[in-house]
């Protein structure tokens, strides 16, 4: 974090045209020393960081600075070659704060001059509005059904119609492409893709709707691995169906390869939107990551999966309770070998001038000792293989200037294979067990086991574990954590949607029917009207409203495709 770049001017409050931006506040520092002093600061989010110079405060003057409020801030100052008063304070948006510094009172408390705004009020208002709209929509549907049932002229013939239907030997069954799908799967997928659209458009600029600076877990960090997880569950269903109607596993693998190739091509096309020349075209990407992980898991399943019948399940005897694991022992051996190889490369591969097993961001991290070690082995491999054809942003909002690091790079793609296969196994539980309780209990057990292992690896702490939870690195603890939540969420959805049928899955189920179409569409139309527009003075209110509008509009488009029974598959 370089607050020197964020400082607007000395005493910006005296400028009538000065306005605070999102997650900013004023800090007025009164320097009562007879000499100039240097103010240092660093964000509390910055792990093992040393404060960077923020401003030089003139002697016997009041200097007002613009400071960030997204994370708690640590401040201290240097006078007479000594450092004084390291204080951590939670500044809040658009507040005005004061701090008096003097030789007599080396470390006075920071005080509030003007109260901050409630930056989380827009979230509460948005939640209430959407809840009200949902209640209104549900009420209207019930009223319409009741009115149609009572007032329709056809109701006088209900009894006769029932008799005629009973005597009909070949009743007409109306089906559609949507009616043959598993509702909980589409709902899970819809939740993921709509959440992805929301966070990709900014998420109202709230810290928990944006990706973590490096370690940690936010809502935004869940969306991509969740999409990969539910893709894995779909692999189980689709490959089992294909194996039952086809005798050629080779043709199935070729179709998987074709789908992976198309996804990769689409990903490169989307990357080209932000590239001026081919020499800077980013090769990795979200669709590329999904393509590779999909092909690996789909190919493994195609080779080893059995098209089970009910009699085949009896082969496990007394171990039938574990048949979901025993049935796929060969696949698990391969997946665990891939995960082990990834871990060994991460911790044992030598990286020039960097400690083995480094998982940090470089920059200010570890007091700047590993400034050129961003991403450790994973970052080094990507920079070696892709060169300029990778993610080009080198400024981290917390850790300052870092080396290029691609969140969808080679090592991260390998790591996601484990997430996809966790979804594959969830699908096997869905197919092999016919009672809801048997399914839900197993999903919850997998949720508990993956969560416990993840907790042990990260020591149930954000920074101090052996393998911290990091979406940037797709670390093993992160992969297991997101899988834990995925198992839990799907167990809940399956129980309420497929089993109890308390909820139809709407409106998320509609988005889950065409997720890739919505993803590509929202990337192409990002920042284009009517999905978005330029804001003169952006605030949490305006950004949250616009981002929710963008997400809602894509939800409406998904519903329109559903009404037309259009499912665009690759």
């Amino acid at each position: 974090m370089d607050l020197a770049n964020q400082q607007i001017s000395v005493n910006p409050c005296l400028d009538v045209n000065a306005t605070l931006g999102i997650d900013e506040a004023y800090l007025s520092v009164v320097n009562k020393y007879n000499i100039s002093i240097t103010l240092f600061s660093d964000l509390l989010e910055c792990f093992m960081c040393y404060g960077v110079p923020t401003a030089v405060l003139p002697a016997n003057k009041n200097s007002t600075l613009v400071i960030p409020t997204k994370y708690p801030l640590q401040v201290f100052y240097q006078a007479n070659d000594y450092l004084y008063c390291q204080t951590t304070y939670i500044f809040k948006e658009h507040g005005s704060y004061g701090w008096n510094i003097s030789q007599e009172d080396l470390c006075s408390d920071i005080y509030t001059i003007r109260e901050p705004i409630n930056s989380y009020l827009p979230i509460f208002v948005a939640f209430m509005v959407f809840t009200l709209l949902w209640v209104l929509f549900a009420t209207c549907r019930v009223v319409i059904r009741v009115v149609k049932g009572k007032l329709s002229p056809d109701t006088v013939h209900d009894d006769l119609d029932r008799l005629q239907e009973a005597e009909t030997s070949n009743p007409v069954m109306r089906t559609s492409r949507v009616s043959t799908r598993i509702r909980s799967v589409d709902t899970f997928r819809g939740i993921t893709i709509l959440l992805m659209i929301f966070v990709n458009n900014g998420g109202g600029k709230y810290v928990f709707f944006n990706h973590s600076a490096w370690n940690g877990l936010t809502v935004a960090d869940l969306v991509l691995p969740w999409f990969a997880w539910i893709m894995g569950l779909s692999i189980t269903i689709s490959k089992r169906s294909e194996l039952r109607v086809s005798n050629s596993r080779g043709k199935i693998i070729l179709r998987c390869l074709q789908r992976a190739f198309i996804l990769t091509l689409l990903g490169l096309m989307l990357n080209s939107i932000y590239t001026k020349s081919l020499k800077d075209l980013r090769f990795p990407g979200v669709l590329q990551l999904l393509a590779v992980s999909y092909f690996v898991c789909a190919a493994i399943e195609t080779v080893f999966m059995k098209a089970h019948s009910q009699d085949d399940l009896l082969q496990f005897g007394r171990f039938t309770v574990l048949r979901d694991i025993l049935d796929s022992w060969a696949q698990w051996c391969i997946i665990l070998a891939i995960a082990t190889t990834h871990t060994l490369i991460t911790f044992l591969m030598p990286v020039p001038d960097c400690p083995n097993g480094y998982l940090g961001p470089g920059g200010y991290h570890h007091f700047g000792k590993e400034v050129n070690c961003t991403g450790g082995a994973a970052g080094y491999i990507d920079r070696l293989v892709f060169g300029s054809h990778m993610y080009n942003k080198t400024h981290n909002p917390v850790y300052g200037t870092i080396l290029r690091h691609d969140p969808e790079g080679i090592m991260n793609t390998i790591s996601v294979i484990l997430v996809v296969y966790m979804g594959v196994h969830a699908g096997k539980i869905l197919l092999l067990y016919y009672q809801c309780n048997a399914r839900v209990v197993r999903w919850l057990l997998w949720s508990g086991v993956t969560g416990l292992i993840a907790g042990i690896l990260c020591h149930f702490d954000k920074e101090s574990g052996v393998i911290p939870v990091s979406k940037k690195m797709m670390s093993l603890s992160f992969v297991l954590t997101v899988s834990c939540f995925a198992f839990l969420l799907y167990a809940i959805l399956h129980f309420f949607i497929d089993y109890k049928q308390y909820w139809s899955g709407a409106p998320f189920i509609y988005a889950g029917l065409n997720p890739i179409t919505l993803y590509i569409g929202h990337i192409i139309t990002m920042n284009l009207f009517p999905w978005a527009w330029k804001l003169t003075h952006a605030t949490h209110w305006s950004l949250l409203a616009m981002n929710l509008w963008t997400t809602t509009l894509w939800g409406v488009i998904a519903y329109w495709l559903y009404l037309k029974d259009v499912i665009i598959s690759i």
Side-chain angles (χ1 to χ4, degrees), residues 78-96:
Q78 183 179 27
N80 299 320
D81 297 327
Y82 290 97
L83 299 177
Y84 297 103
C85 190
Q86 182 169 339
T87 301
T88 301
Y89 196 85
I90 301 176
F91 297 96
K92 296 184 179 179
E93 187 177 20
H94 292 187
S96 183

Side-chain angles (χ1 to χ4, degrees), residues 141 183-184 187 496-497 501-510:
R141 289 188 63 180
R183 303 182 71 87
S184 59
T187 302
F496 284 100
I497 296 175
Q501 298 184 359
Y502 291 150
W503 179 32
S504 66
F508 303 106
I509 191 172
Y510 311 126

Side-chain angles (χ1 to χ4, degrees), residues 51-290:
V52 295
T54 301
V56 176
L57 308 178
N60 297 310
K61 286 189 177 181
N62 180 2
S63 302
T64 302
L65 312 173
V66 176
I67 58 173
T69 62
K70 183 170 288 188
Y71 303 102
L73 191 67
Q74 297 183 20
V75 292
F76 59 95
Y77 65 92
Q78 183 179 27
N80 299 320
D81 297 327
Y82 290 97
L83 299 177
Y84 297 103
C85 190
Q86 182 169 339
T87 301
T88 301
Y89 196 85
I90 301 176
F91 297 96
K92 296 184 179 179
E93 187 177 20
H94 292 187
S96 183
Y97 301 89
W99 196 26
N100 299 329
I101 298 175
S102 65
Q103 196 164 3
E104 292 76 19
D105 189 1
L106 296 176
C107 196
S108 63
D109 294 331
I110 295 174
Y111 54 91
T112 302
I113 299 174
R114 186 179 67 244
E115 291 296 330
I117 64 174
N118 186 350
S119 58
Y120 299 108
L121 182 60
I123 297 178
F124 175 76
V125 173
F127 174 78
M128 295 302 297
V129 169
F130 274 89
T131 301
L132 182 62
L133 290 175
W134 180 81
V135 171
L136 183 63
F137 178 74
T139 303
C140 289
R141 289 188 63 180
V142 172
V143 171
I144 290 173
R145 287 179 180 177
V146 172
V147 171
K148 280 186 175 181
K150 290 183 178 181
L151 300 182
S152 173
D154 295 334
T155 56
V156 296
H157 302 291
D158 281 349
D159 292 338
L160 180 60
D161 290 342
R162 292 193 189 97
L163 290 174
Q164 290 175 338
E165 290 174 5
E167 294 174 357
T168 301
S169 58
N170 296 310
V172 178
M173 299 293 293
R174 293 186 179 182
T175 61
S176 66
R177 299 180 68 184
V178 174
S179 62
T180 58
R181 299 170 67 93
I182 300 175
R183 303 182 71 87
S184 59
V185 174
D186 286 328
T187 302
F188 189 108
R189 193 184 292 113
I191 292 173
T192 302
I193 192 63
L194 289 179
L195 191 58
M196 185 181 293
I197 292 173
F198 176 66
V199 300
N200 283 354
N201 278 275
K205 293 296 182 183
Y206 287 101
V207 63
F208 39 80
F209 290 142
N210 286 266
H211 292 295
S212 301
W214 199 262
N215 293 338
L217 190 68
T218 66
V219 175
D221 295 330
L222 296 171
V223 291
L224 177 56
W226 273 6
F227 193 90
W229 188 91
I230 199 65
M231 180 179 69
L233 193 151
S234 301
I235 287 174
T236 304
I237 299 171
S238 62
K239 298 312 156 195
R240 179 67 54 81
S241 177
E242 290 178 37
L243 284 172
R244 285 177 173 174
V245 299
S246 174
N247 294 322
S248 175
R249 296 177 186 261
K251 288 183 178 179
I252 297 176
I253 293 177
L254 286 177
R255 284 198 293 269
C256 294
L257 182 61
Q258 179 185 21
R259 185 169 190 257
F261 174 78
I262 294 174
L263 285 174
T264 301
L265 182 60
L266 289 172
L268 290 173
M269 291 170 63
L270 293 180
N271 286 353
S272 68
I273 296 176
Y274 308 103
T275 305
K276 295 181 179 180
S277 63
L278 288 177
K279 68 177 183 179
D280 296 322
L281 176 64
R282 182 190 177 202
F283 289 164
V286 170
L287 293 184
Q288 294 90 312
L289 176 143
L290 293 175

Side-chain angles (χ1 to χ4, degrees), residues 389-407:
H389 298 284
M390 59 184 292
Y391 201 65
N392 60 9
K393 292 187 177 180
T394 57
H395 178 74
N396 185 287
V398 171
Y399 292 99
T401 301
I402 62 175
L403 298 184
R404 281 188 169 190
H405 172 265
D406 205 301

